[in-house]
């Protein structure tokens, strides 16, 4: 048999003893006609020496149809859940901002959008139904996933929602399904118990089904939305679409501030356009601005990126996804650009 073995020698005597283990495995392979290949993986102090410690993490995207049928435990998305859990980044901040220059790419009517949209969704990221107990019965005729939240898990998200609202329009909406779910009723209790600490913020509640509707009916009523993992996942994708393109939206995943944050565009790996110089890099570039702001406290530097992006859009430059209904006109004007050129333009503007 041909088999591949991952070696994690680690530190101290680790490499010495693993080396002997490998020699024995090779002897067995030879005697019994097998072939073993090895991949050495760094862990422990050896990994710290080689890679050092990072102050922030910038992520692109993972997944694609090539790996859609691999078993659940090997799914590329598992890496993301592991990374978020391991880095203890429990809050996902997703600003859904409609740049005024991109109103042509917004599917909503002008009178609904008005002068623009600016919503911040604070999504719980490491709890709830995506992490709760799941399973199937022995007959494989029943399956379950569990939505479970503790007070501290809720409180840190709700407080972040309040603090974010204080820096914005001072309105926080907690989105839940409290008419049915017990866990949602706990979200409301926690929000009520901390609201006195933020007297300048107006707190409201909305059921998630209504919120999904209100986001397209009257999105400007929202300032900051705080919600659970699954509701936030769904609503933030919806919010992204009303702003024009998923290729514009950045995100930050933050913990308690003692470790690095994780910054990534909200879109996926877009296999349909991969490798064709068509992807809009602005969501990732704007994620870099969030990285500088939240992890390094570099407000001026973050602003420089955001202003540069505005300037490039003002000048009419567009990737295909944000050209919207103006696509032909943008193309005719020679303003349709690819991934690399868009990066060049932002750099030049900085
Ligand atoms: P997707 O976000 O990759 O693509 C949806 C649509 O948006 C596609 O038409 C794509 O071409 C377009 N799009 C996405 N990003 C773009 C960009 N920067 N510029 C221009 N157009 C862009 O979502 P999907 O198709 O549902 O998923 C594809 C793969 O990505 C799946 O394997 C999925 O599991 C994975 N995924 C990963 C993440 C992540 O890594 N955080 C998030 C979502 C999906």
């Amino acid at each position: 048999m041909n088999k591949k073995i991952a070696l994690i020698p680690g530190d101290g005597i680790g490499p010495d003893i693993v080396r002997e283990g490998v020699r024995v495995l090779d002897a067995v392979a030879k005697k019994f006609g097998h072939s073993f290949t090895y991949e050495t993986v760094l862990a422990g102090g050896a990994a710290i020496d080689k890679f050092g410690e990072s102050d922030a993490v910038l992520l692109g995207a993972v997944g694609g149809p090539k790996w859609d049928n691999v078993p659940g435990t090997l799914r590329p998305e598992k890496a993301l859940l592991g990374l978020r859990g391991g880095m203890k980044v429990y809050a996902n901040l997703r600003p859904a901002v409609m740049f005024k220059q991109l109103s042509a790419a917004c599917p909503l009517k002008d009178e609904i959008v008005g002068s623009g949209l600016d919503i911040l969704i604070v999504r719980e990221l490491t709890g709830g139904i995506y992490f709760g107990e799941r399973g199937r019965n022995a007959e494989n005729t029943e399956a379950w996933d569990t939505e479970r939240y503790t007070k501290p898990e809720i409180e840190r998200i709700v407080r972040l929602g309040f603090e974010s609202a204080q820096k914005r329009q001072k309105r926080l909406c907690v989105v839940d399904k409290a008419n049915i779910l017990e866990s949602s009723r706990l979200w409301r209790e926690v929000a009520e118990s901390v609201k006195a600490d933020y007297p300048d913020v107006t707190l409201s509640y909305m059921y998630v089904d209504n919120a999904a509707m209100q986001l397209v009916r009257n999105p400007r009523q929202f300032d900051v939305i705080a919600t659970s993992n699954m509701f936030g996942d769904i609503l933030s994708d919806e919010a992204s679409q009303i702003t024009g393109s998923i290729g514009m939206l950045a995100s930050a995943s933050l913990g308690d501030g003692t470790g690095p944050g994780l910054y990534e565009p909200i879109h996926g790996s877009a296999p349909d356009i991969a490798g064709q110089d068509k992807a809009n890099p602005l969501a990732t570039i704007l994620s870099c601005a969030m990285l500088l702001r939240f992890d390094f406290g570099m407000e001026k530097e973050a602003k420089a990126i955001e202003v540069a992006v505005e300037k490039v859009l003002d000048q009419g430059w567009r990737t295909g996804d944000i050209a919207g209904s103006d696509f032909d006109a943008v193309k005719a004007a020679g303003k349709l650009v690819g991934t690399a050129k868009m990066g060049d333009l932002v750099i030049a503007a900085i």
Side-chain angles (χ1 to χ4, degrees), residues 59-68 75-77 80 84 94 233 237 241 245-248 264-274 278-284 319-322 339:
L59 177 97
V62 299
K66 182 176 171 196
W67 307 281
D68 273 355
R75 291 292 299 257
E77 292 78 359
L80 259 188
R84 288 170 181 161
R94 293 182 162 203
D233 191 8
D237 268 26
Q241 276 311 299
S245 172
I246 201 166
M248 290 300 299
E264 53 181 319
I266 78 155
H267 57 74
S269 57
D272 51 330
I273 55 167
K278 282 186 182 164
N280 182 353
L282 292 178
T284 305
T319 45
D321 59 305
I322 51 175
T339 314

Side-chain angles (χ1 to χ4, degrees), residues 215-227:
L215 269 174
V216 289
R217 203 176 148 266
N218 179 16
R220 279 186 295 158
Q221 70 186 280
F222 296 109
D223 177 25
V224 178
I225 290 175
T227 190

Side-chain angles (χ1 to χ4, degrees), residues 11-286:
D11 305 321
I13 59 165
D16 307 342
I17 52 188
V18 167
R19 192 177 312 119
E20 297 316 307
V22 168
R23 293 202 319 132
V24 170
L25 286 168
D26 281 342
V28 170
K30 193 167 173 205
K31 183 172 167 83
F32 292 93
H34 301 307
S35 160
F36 298 146
T37 53
Y38 305 98
E39 180 87 51
T40 301
V41 179
L42 290 179
I48 295 174
D49 287 349
K50 170 103 200 273
F51 299 110
E53 265 190 275
S54 301
D55 297 311
V57 179
L58 178 67
L59 177 97
V62 299
K66 182 176 171 196
W67 307 281
D68 273 355
N69 295 320
V70 298
T73 50
L74 288 180
R75 291 292 299 257
E77 292 78 359
K78 284 285 282 187
L80 259 188
L81 296 185
L83 196 59
R84 288 170 181 161
M87 289 177 69
K88 298 195 171 58
V89 285
Y90 51 74
N92 186 221
L93 267 61
R94 293 182 162 203
V97 179
M98 196 191 80
F99 290 82
K100 59 184 184 310
Q101 302 89 337
L102 301 182
S103 54
C106 172
L108 300 183
K109 291 193 185 117
D110 290 348
E111 61 261 34
I112 293 179
V113 178
S115 53
L117 288 178
D118 184 355
I119 302 168
L120 176 69
I121 298 186
V122 181
R123 167 189 169 196
E124 199 290 323
L125 202 58
T126 52
I129 197 164
Y130 291 179
F131 289 87
E133 190 224 330
R134 73 196 63 209
R136 292 186 181 213
N137 67 352
E139 298 76 34
N140 208 19
T141 53
E142 192 184 348
W144 59 89
D145 301 274
T146 319
E147 175 87 343
R148 198 186 189 106
Y149 272 113
T150 64
K151 276 189 171 178
E153 282 175 321
I154 299 168
E155 184 174 332
R156 59 195 186 183
I157 298 301
V158 171
R159 284 194 183 276
L160 191 58
F162 274 113
E163 286 158 16
S164 305
Q166 282 181 320
K167 296 180 200 138
R168 298 168 46 101
Q169 292 171 35
K170 303 188 170 32
R171 284 181 286 126
L172 172 66
C173 182
V174 171
V175 170
D176 58 33
K177 191 71 185 165
N179 49 343
I180 300 188
L181 300 179
E182 198 52 46
S183 53
S184 288
R185 289 194 269 273
L186 190 62
W187 273 77
R188 288 198 182 198
E189 278 168 40
V190 172
E192 284 299 311
S193 72
V194 302
K195 77 174 181 192
D197 294 344
Y198 311 91
D200 51 336
V201 176
T202 308
L203 171 67
S204 64
Y205 302 99
M206 194 179 280
Y207 299 141
V208 64
D209 38 357
N210 188 23
M213 191 171 74
Q214 295 298 334
L215 269 174
V216 289
R217 203 176 148 266
N218 179 16
R220 279 186 295 158
Q221 70 186 280
F222 296 109
D223 177 25
V224 178
I225 290 175
T227 190
S228 63
N229 200 341
M230 182 165 70
F231 294 160
D233 191 8
I234 298 166
L235 291 181
S236 56
D237 268 26
E238 185 186 359
S240 76
Q241 276 311 299
I242 62 176
T243 62
S245 172
I246 201 166
M248 290 300 299
L249 298 183
S251 86
S253 300
L254 307 175
D256 60 7
T258 56
L262 176 65
Y263 299 85
E264 53 181 319
I266 78 155
H267 57 74
S269 57
D272 51 330
I273 55 167
Q276 300 169 34
D277 195 40
K278 282 186 182 164
N280 182 353
L282 292 178
T284 305
I285 289 170
L286 291 166

